[in-house]
Amino acid sequence: MALLKNHQWIYTKRPQSIVTNEHYTLKESTIDTSTIKEGEALLQSKYWSVDPYMRIQQSQHNTWEAPHPLYTVQGGAVVGQVLVCNDPKSNIKTGDWVLSYTGWQEYAVTKTSELRKLNPNEVPVTTALGILGMPARIAYFGLIEAGIPKEGETVAVSGASGAVGQIVVQIAKIKGCKVIGIAGSDEKLAYLKNVLGVDQVINYKKYPSHQKIKESIKEACPEGIDIYYDNVGGFITDAIFELINHKARIIVCGQISQYSGGLDTPEMGPRFLHHILYKRATIQGVLARDYNDRMDEMLSEMTPWTKNGSLKYQETIIDGFENLPIALNMLFHGKNKGKLMVKSTI
Amino acid sequence: MALLKNHQWIYTKRPQSIVTNEHYTLKESTIDTSTIKEGEALLQSKYWSVDPYMRIQQSQHNTWEAPHPLYTVQGGAVVGQVLVCNDPKSNIKTGDWVLSYTGWQEYAVTKTSELRKLNPNEVPVTTALGILGMPARIAYFGLIEAGIPKEGETVAVSGASGAVGQIVVQIAKIKGCKVIGIAGSDEKLAYLKNVLGVDQVINYKKYPSHQKIKESIKEACPEGIDIYYDNVGGFITDAIFELINHKARIIVCGQISQYSGGLDTPEMGPRFLHHILYKRATIQGVLARDYNDRMDEMLSEMTPWTKNGSLKYQETIIDGFENLPIALNMLFHGKNKGKLMVKSTI
């Protein structure tokens, strides 16, 4: 019998607004490595994903599923290495890098059938959490299948330098669209424009109201907006609803401006459905999980783009398991550039 | 030369909230009946359509087109009779009943190519304005093509006893759906339930807030809402967004609660796009004009239903050309049952 000391972040208190350390409890426990059953593997977590959807799951109300249960390990995607594999029939071997959904713990025992093997020689393993992971899946299918971008159309993207946004803007450019990216710092705008090739950029933090930002977006896109890929909601979205073109497609992938309380007690905003009527536009909500079974389809297109550098990406990597709740909090202050994750230091 | 005395309602002032007589000027003029050109006909208007979209076109802002021009005859659909036809090649003859778009005037000269001939022996001519007219076209295509109703699904309809709503509820029943109709008087509810076969009915005027009406809708439809055909907007719509099912389809056909000012200075309401995200729902704006070229397709299905009585309808007919602006105003107070029109008394 070998006992392995483990640490877990337990979700213990439902936040009313911003999520902080106080909503989690760090727990020490042990894993008996001799009790790993057939078909299971022991993983060491190396990178933990930190995602806006985690805050949605903390809402008091049902969302796409019941709220994240209290007093359990915070769920989430993890990139780790297999320390022990008790499954001779699996393609997973000791030492392999894998993607798992074992959440915020240093070590985890899980079924090998729930692991996706990664090839660290092909692309960096962290890409499995971002540019070739869940954010990529919804960026790709959300834009292509709900947005149906056509060459020459104008695509607006809110949260443009986030994990999903940075991918959407690039796919839209590959599809021959004019792209306007909206983000929250001049540094982010410079990256969007100079590295990702975004045509027009707007720093939403410089605007006090939806009327003012609307004027700037209109100036940047006098031809109007054909596709709006929305990660943010709130006043940016209010502005864009007034600028959409005939038969515009609005993809609701996220509403991060509303997550810290607005899901339980909605913020008030100007009614806009009449614009949808005038323009015979569509609004469609999209979730990455709906495309789980089409991961390979996305990867077959996106992996070559990533390998040959035509798809660029940023990652914000925070060191130390102990910083996970702080990292989650950072999302709601826009402190990440691209995909946010936490790296193990052990 | 024969001079015919004509009266026209001229749109002369843009309303800020409710439209009344003061926004129109009654003008007397003459038509020289000897000057009707080849390809033209002289009509006597018999029934004038009064529609919510007329108020949209009075908004200061562009909607689906520029605002209705001031100092011109109020546009709109008319059922009339041909007094003179100067077009031997046309199928239109003197004495024919026709549908035209010549607006609020007692007599009009128009191209015969812009007339649709009606058969008064088949169905009453007034049906061309309602149950077999523009409201039917958008009810039919909006529900069938944007809603895609499936047997056993639950369909909610706001403005359920209006010109469009009364048709939507019946098509939804024909398609095997459970239907909940929301309207503004107990008399309307009784008609919806007892005559049109609507399963559940709600009088929205009995509710002070979206939370309260939500509770009642939830009680009436514990299974949730699969399709919402929205003619009204405002707090009814707020409530339903919280009750939609996975992959719900929301059809925005009208937002009548917002027309009297809310299009220019939007009312505030709770943000709801996060629900669209959770449920991977779609919202789609629909306008009757997009289906103009498919009128025959709609009529081929709906005319037999109307003739055999399987499609029922109400009309509210106000006597007297002089009452047109008052009739338009009635729409925004829900004083119509089914299709509202004004009948000529000359």
Side-chain angles (χ1 to χ4, degrees):
Chain A
M1 186 173 100
L3 285 183
L4 189 66
K5 189 158 66 173
N6 196 15
H7 288 100
Q8 301 175 310
W9 274 112
I10 309 293
Y11 172 52
T12 46
K13 190 178 168 191
R14 216 167 276 301
Q16 296 305 310
S17 63
I18 283 288
V19 59
T20 66
N21 256 332
E22 69 162 319
H23 304 103
Y24 288 94
T25 303
L26 188 58
K27 183 180 157 190
E28 193 173 300
S29 60
T30 52
I31 293 175
D32 180 348
T33 61
S34 67
T35 64
I36 295 163
K37 297 190 200 92
E38 193 165 331
E40 287 183 344
L42 171 67
L43 307 184
Q44 181 175 7
S45 308
K46 294 290 190 178
Y47 297 93
W48 294 274
S49 188
V50 176
D51 298 281
Y53 79 79
M54 292 171 174
R55 181 64 187 83
I56 297 180
Q57 292 180 324
Q58 293 168 339
S59 164
Q60 294 169 53
H61 296 116
N62 279 6
T63 56
W64 53 78
E65 60 192 2
H68 192 297
L70 287 167
Y71 314 114
T72 59
V73 174
Q74 170 65 53
V78 176
V79 164
Q81 267 190 300
V82 176
L83 296 184
V84 177
C85 183
N86 186 4
D87 189 352
K89 284 173 277 178
S90 165
N91 73 330
I92 306 283
K93 309 292 170 207
T94 298
D96 278 353
W97 284 90
V98 291
L99 177 73
S100 74
Y101 292 91
T102 43
W104 292 6
Q105 47 191 337
E106 290 179 324
Y107 298 93
V109 176
T110 183
K111 287 181 183 163
T112 56
S113 59
E114 292 178 0
L115 299 174
R116 185 157 70 81
K117 190 168 174 166
L118 304 175
N119 179 356
N121 301 317
E122 189 176 55
V123 284
V125 291
T126 53
T127 59
L129 298 178
I131 195 81
L132 296 172
M134 179 275 282
R137 199 164 66 237
I138 196 56
Y140 182 82
F141 289 112
L143 181 64
I144 302 287
E145 302 212 339
I148 316 166
K150 289 187 274 292
E151 196 175 332
E153 288 191 317
T154 295
V155 179
V157 184
S158 62
S161 88
V164 173
Q166 66 173 347
I167 304 171
V168 173
V169 298
Q170 293 183 85
I171 299 175
K173 285 307 300 175
I174 289 169
K175 294 290 170 185
C177 297
K178 170 177 168 179
V179 178
I180 173 166
I182 301 159
S185 78
D186 289 343
E187 193 189 347
K188 289 177 181 177
L189 299 193
Y191 180 79
L192 286 168
K193 193 146 195 173
N194 303 331
V195 182
L196 303 189
V198 170
D199 301 283
Q200 296 283 344
V201 290
I202 301 259
N203 181 349
Y204 74 87
K205 289 195 177 161
K206 293 194 172 160
Y207 297 89
S209 70
H210 99 263
Q211 285 302 336
K212 292 288 178 196
I213 196 170
K214 186 180 99 176
E215 286 163 26
S216 286
I217 297 171
K218 196 171 180 177
E219 206 172 298
C221 304
E223 73 284 4
I225 306 290
D226 300 299
I227 298 177
Y228 175 42
Y229 195 106
D230 187 15
N231 296 303
V232 174
F235 85 108
I236 300 170
T237 298
D238 297 336
I240 290 188
F241 276 120
E242 297 182 15
L243 298 171
I244 56 174
N245 288 334
H246 183 242
K247 296 277 181 198
R249 288 84 71 198
I250 294 157
I251 303 127
V252 180
C253 175
Q255 294 283 288
I256 197 170
S257 70
Q258 306 302 304
Y259 292 172
S260 298
L263 306 184
D264 295 322
T265 308
E267 206 178 88
M268 301 292 271
R271 297 193 184 283
F272 55 72
L273 287 178
H274 55 106
H275 295 292
I276 302 304
L277 175 61
Y278 305 155
K279 301 303 180 188
R280 291 79 110 186
T282 55
I283 305 176
Q284 184 173 342
V286 294
L287 277 189
R289 62 186 55 205
D290 288 343
Y291 301 98
N292 277 349
D293 59 350
R294 297 175 66 186
M295 195 67 188
D296 290 344
E297 187 182 338
M298 182 278 285
L299 288 175
S300 70
E301 186 124 68
M302 303 270 283
T303 307
W305 290 343
T306 306
K307 283 167 75 175
N308 71 23
S310 60
L311 202 60
K312 298 178 178 64
Y313 61 98
Q314 284 188 307
E315 293 172 338
T316 301
I317 300 180
I318 308 297
D319 277 339
F321 177 76
E322 67 280 10
N323 290 319
L324 269 161
I326 291 169
L328 179 57
N329 178 282
M330 284 171 63
L331 284 174
F332 305 100
H333 297 95
K335 291 191 177 162
N336 56 307
K337 281 175 278 185
K339 174 62 195 165
L340 182 66
M341 62 187 86
V342 171
K343 184 181 178 184
S344 174
T345 50
I346 60 171
Chain B
M1 186 173 99
L3 286 181
L4 189 66
K5 186 158 67 171
N6 196 14
H7 288 100
Q8 302 175 310
W9 274 112
I10 309 293
Y11 171 53
T12 46
K13 189 179 168 191
R14 218 168 274 302
Q16 298 305 311
S17 60
I18 282 288
V19 60
T20 66
N21 256 333
E22 69 162 320
H23 305 103
Y24 288 93
T25 303
L26 187 58
K27 183 181 160 191
E28 194 174 298
S29 59
T30 52
I31 293 176
D32 179 349
T33 61
S34 66
T35 64
I36 295 163
K37 297 191 201 93
E38 192 164 332
E40 288 183 342
L42 170 68
L43 306 184
Q44 180 174 6
S45 307
K46 294 292 190 177
Y47 297 93
W48 293 275
S49 188
V50 176
D51 297 280
Y53 79 80
M54 293 173 173
R55 181 64 188 83
I56 297 181
Q57 292 181 323
Q58 294 168 337
S59 164
Q60 295 170 52
H61 295 115
N62 279 5
T63 55
W64 55 77
E65 60 192 0
H68 192 295
L70 286 167
Y71 314 112
T72 60
V73 174
Q74 170 64 52
V78 176
V79 165
Q81 265 189 300
V82 176
L83 295 185
V84 178
C85 182
N86 187 5
D87 190 352
K89 285 175 275 179
S90 165
N91 72 330
I92 305 283
K93 309 291 171 207
T94 298
D96 277 353
W97 285 90
V98 292
L99 177 72
S100 73
Y101 292 92
T102 44
W104 292 7
Q105 46 191 340
E106 289 178 324
Y107 298 93
V109 176
T110 183
K111 288 183 184 160
T112 56
S113 58
E114 291 179 2
L115 300 174
R116 186 158 69 81
K117 189 169 175 164
L118 304 175
N119 180 355
N121 301 316
E122 189 175 56
V123 285
V125 290
T126 54
T127 57
L129 298 178
I131 195 82
L132 296 172
M134 178 275 282
R137 198 165 67 237
I138 197 55
Y140 182 82
F141 290 112
L143 181 64
I144 302 288
E145 302 212 339
I148 316 165
K150 289 187 275 291
E151 196 175 332
E153 287 191 318
T154 295
V155 179
V157 184
S158 61
S161 88
V164 174
Q166 66 174 348
I167 304 172
V168 173
V169 298
Q170 293 182 84
I171 300 175
K173 286 305 299 176
I174 288 168
K175 295 291 171 186
C177 297
K178 171 177 168 179
V179 179
I180 172 166
I182 301 159
S185 79
D186 288 344
E187 194 188 346
K188 289 176 180 178
L189 299 193
Y191 181 80
L192 287 168
K193 192 147 195 170
N194 302 331
V195 182
L196 303 190
V198 170
D199 300 283
Q200 297 283 343
V201 288
I202 301 259
N203 181 349
Y204 73 87
K205 290 195 176 160
K206 293 195 173 162
Y207 297 89
S209 71
H210 99 264
Q211 285 302 335
K212 292 290 179 196
I213 197 170
K214 184 179 104 177
E215 286 163 25
S216 286
I217 297 170
K218 196 171 180 179
E219 208 172 296
C221 304
E223 73 284 5
I225 306 292
D226 299 300
I227 298 176
Y228 175 43
Y229 195 105
D230 188 16
N231 296 302
V232 175
F235 84 107
I236 300 170
T237 298
D238 297 337
I240 290 187
F241 276 121
E242 298 183 15
L243 298 171
I244 55 173
N245 288 334
H246 183 243
K247 296 276 179 198
R249 288 83 72 199
I250 293 157
I251 302 128
V252 180
C253 175
Q255 294 282 287
I256 198 170
S257 69
Q258 306 302 302
Y259 293 171
S260 298
L263 306 184
D264 294 321
T265 308
E267 205 178 88
M268 301 291 273
R271 297 193 185 282
F272 54 71
L273 287 177
H274 56 105
H275 294 293
I276 302 304
L277 175 61
Y278 304 156
K279 302 303 180 187
R280 290 81 109 187
T282 56
I283 304 176
Q284 184 173 342
V286 295
L287 277 188
R289 62 186 54 204
D290 289 344
Y291 302 97
N292 278 350
D293 59 349
R294 296 175 67 186
M295 194 67 187
D296 290 343
E297 186 183 338
M298 182 277 285
L299 288 175
S300 70
E301 185 123 68
M302 303 270 284
T303 307
W305 290 345
T306 306
K307 284 169 74 173
N308 72 22
S310 61
L311 203 59
K312 297 177 178 65
Y313 61 98
Q314 284 188 308
E315 293 171 338
T316 300
I317 300 180
I318 308 295
D319 277 339
F321 177 74
E322 67 278 12
N323 290 319
L324 270 163
I326 291 169
L328 180 56
N329 178 282
M330 285 172 63
L331 284 174
F332 305 101
H333 297 97
K335 290 189 178 164
N336 58 307
K337 281 175 276 183
K339 174 62 195 165
L340 182 66
M341 63 188 85
V342 170
K343 185 181 179 183
S344 174
T345 49
I346 58 171

